[in-house]
Amino acid sequence: MFELQDAFARKFQYLRLSVTDVCNFKCQYCLPDGYMPDGRKSFLTLDEIRRLARAFAAMGTSKVRITGGEPSLRKDFTQIIETLAGTPGIEKVAMTTNGYRMAKHAADWRQAGLTAINVSVDSLDPRMFHQITGQNRFHEVMAGIDAAFVAGFEQVKVNAVLMRGLNDGDLDRFLAWIKDNPIQLRFIELMQTGEMDELFQRHHVRGAVIKAALLQQGWQQKLRAHNDGPAEVFWHADYRGEIGLIMPYAKDFCASCNRLRVSSLGKLHLCLFGDYGVDLRDLLTDDDQCGTLQQRLRDALADKKATHFLHEGHTGMTPHLASIGG
């Protein structure tokens, strides 16, 4: 088997697959003006997703995370889960969602083969949640988290972009929430996207500050599994839940990189902070193209850089987070 490996001996077992860039939320840090429809776009079909997953799995990918936009807006979303879960070699099928459809569909997704859910909850204050997301759906999302546990998910990961002056005061409330609940609370450091520099300057909270506070309070860091994402995860004997920190500005953030991205239009992105994508879609039209597709993936990985250039203000594709599944 030819593995997906770059020039720095990093192996890529984790694929983030965007299936749509449509989203019904208007989060301040992603789509503050809401989604702008483009009728010319044609997102990856179920057959194209099947061929893509087969090629990646044959090269060592064992985990696929379905992202968007909001992936559950696709009418065939349950079929997408089934397709990925049925691909030989794929052991984990996860999704990242804004959660508004979880209460109704969590059980169906679980039955289809979904193994993990990440849901965005940027505040436990319904009013602040509304302010950040542009949607008054806090109680629906929380009901969705409850439904996920009822459906059999042992843990739910909750993503929160912590922002100074908005939801940074929620930290104690978040900690109280996970004390008796098996939730991995993941604080994502606000990123500078180039289009929202003022937002970044006003609200950025350094993840390192939170990490130092956790260690002082007795939290201990866990070892990462080979196909885990970039979060540094911490546990505490007094808590059922865990805390994850995603800190793209941290030293050596890229050293353990194990994930690649494919956009909803079929472009391979070697890094969220890269400048370009490699088109794969012309090699997803026929099952017999698998070998050629795998060769294109290997060739593309030869250009993957050792690190991002975020510290230098180079934001790459981050202004297009919704289209590449940031």
Side-chain angles (χ1 to χ4, degrees):
M1 177 179 70
F2 293 98
E3 291 187 320
L4 287 166
Q5 181 170 313
D6 68 5
F8 306 96
R10 293 177 297 194
K11 296 181 180 180
F12 299 89
Q13 302 98 350
Y14 178 3
L15 172 64
R16 294 180 62 99
L17 174 62
S18 176
V19 295
T20 181
D21 65 9
V22 181
C23 189
N24 59 327
F25 278 30
K26 296 189 291 185
C27 296
Q28 292 187 22
Y29 51 81
C30 184
L31 288 173
D33 298 321
Y35 176 73
M36 304 298 179
D38 183 349
R40 297 169 298 176
K41 290 182 178 179
S42 174
F43 302 124
L44 289 170
T45 67
L46 201 57
D47 276 340
E48 288 173 327
I49 289 170
R50 174 178 58 80
R51 294 177 184 121
L52 184 76
R54 186 181 67 161
F56 269 88
M59 301 178 77
T61 296
S62 59
K63 176 181 177 180
V64 179
R65 176 172 299 282
I66 312 169
T67 69
E70 171 48 43
S72 69
L73 288 173
R74 283 203 39 164
K75 294 180 180 178
D76 59 352
F77 180 63
T78 302
Q79 288 72 38
I80 291 173
I81 296 172
E82 289 175 340
T83 297
L84 293 171
T87 301
I90 300 298
E91 300 168 358
K92 297 182 179 180
V93 180
M95 74 177 293
T96 297
T97 175
N98 60 31
Y100 91 108
R101 285 189 164 173
M102 282 174 56
K104 184 176 181 180
H105 295 291
D108 295 334
W109 298 340
R110 177 75 175 175
Q111 187 173 5
L114 193 69
T115 59
I117 291 180
N118 286 34
V119 55
S120 297
V121 182
D122 288 309
S123 177
L124 294 179
D125 178 345
R127 291 170 298 178
M128 182 55 67
F129 180 94
H130 190 181
Q131 181 178 337
I132 293 173
T133 66
Q135 290 284 355
N136 188 19
R137 294 180 179 267
F138 172 77
H139 297 291
E140 292 175 53
V141 174
M142 297 301 282
I145 293 173
D146 291 339
F149 286 123
V150 171
F153 291 93
E154 294 182 1
Q155 183 188 65
V156 174
K157 295 180 180 180
V158 171
N159 296 339
V161 178
L162 209 59
M163 294 179 283
R164 185 174 64 247
L166 290 176
N167 61 352
D168 56 332
D170 275 14
L171 187 56
D172 288 341
R173 190 182 300 187
F174 273 125
L175 288 174
W177 184 40
I178 69 170
K179 187 170 182 63
D180 299 312
N181 291 296
I183 287 170
Q184 186 184 111
L185 179 62
R186 296 149 57 90
F187 292 121
I188 303 172
E189 193 168 351
L190 182 66
M191 293 181 291
Q192 192 167 6
T193 66
E195 292 186 354
M196 290 178 280
D197 289 350
E198 185 180 345
L199 180 82
F200 178 83
Q201 296 298 335
R202 191 187 315 130
H203 297 301
H204 180 242
V205 177
R206 290 179 61 240
V209 174
I210 302 172
K211 179 177 179 178
L214 292 175
L215 292 174
Q216 190 174 21
Q217 294 170 21
W219 291 81
Q220 300 181 54
Q221 191 166 349
K222 295 178 66 174
L223 293 175
R224 294 173 72 248
H226 74 282
N227 59 5
D228 279 348
E232 295 184 22
V233 179
F234 300 83
W235 67 276
H236 194 293
D238 296 336
Y239 288 76
R240 285 191 70 194
E242 300 172 334
I243 295 178
L245 298 178
I246 299 178
M247 302 179 290
Y249 293 92
K251 185 178 181 294
D252 297 327
F253 177 75
C254 300
S256 60
C257 183
N258 63 350
R259 60 207 173 279
L260 298 171
R261 289 172 168 81
V262 173
S263 77
S264 55
L265 300 179
K267 285 193 173 184
L268 171 71
H269 294 273
L270 300 173
C271 177
L272 179 61
F273 309 104
D275 287 318
Y276 66 94
V278 177
D279 196 8
L280 305 177
R281 202 161 193 178
D282 61 309
L283 298 179
L284 297 175
T285 60
D286 190 281
D287 288 356
D288 294 335
Q289 296 174 299
C290 187
T292 309
L293 173 59
Q294 291 173 327
Q295 185 60 53
R296 186 173 294 179
L297 293 173
R298 284 194 292 271
D299 293 344
L301 271 173
D303 291 331
K304 185 166 173 63
K305 308 302 181 188
T307 183
H308 61 58
F309 299 97
L310 198 57
H311 295 88
E312 300 172 16
H314 189 81
T315 57
M317 294 296 294
T318 52
H320 310 284
L321 283 172
S323 64
I324 63 173

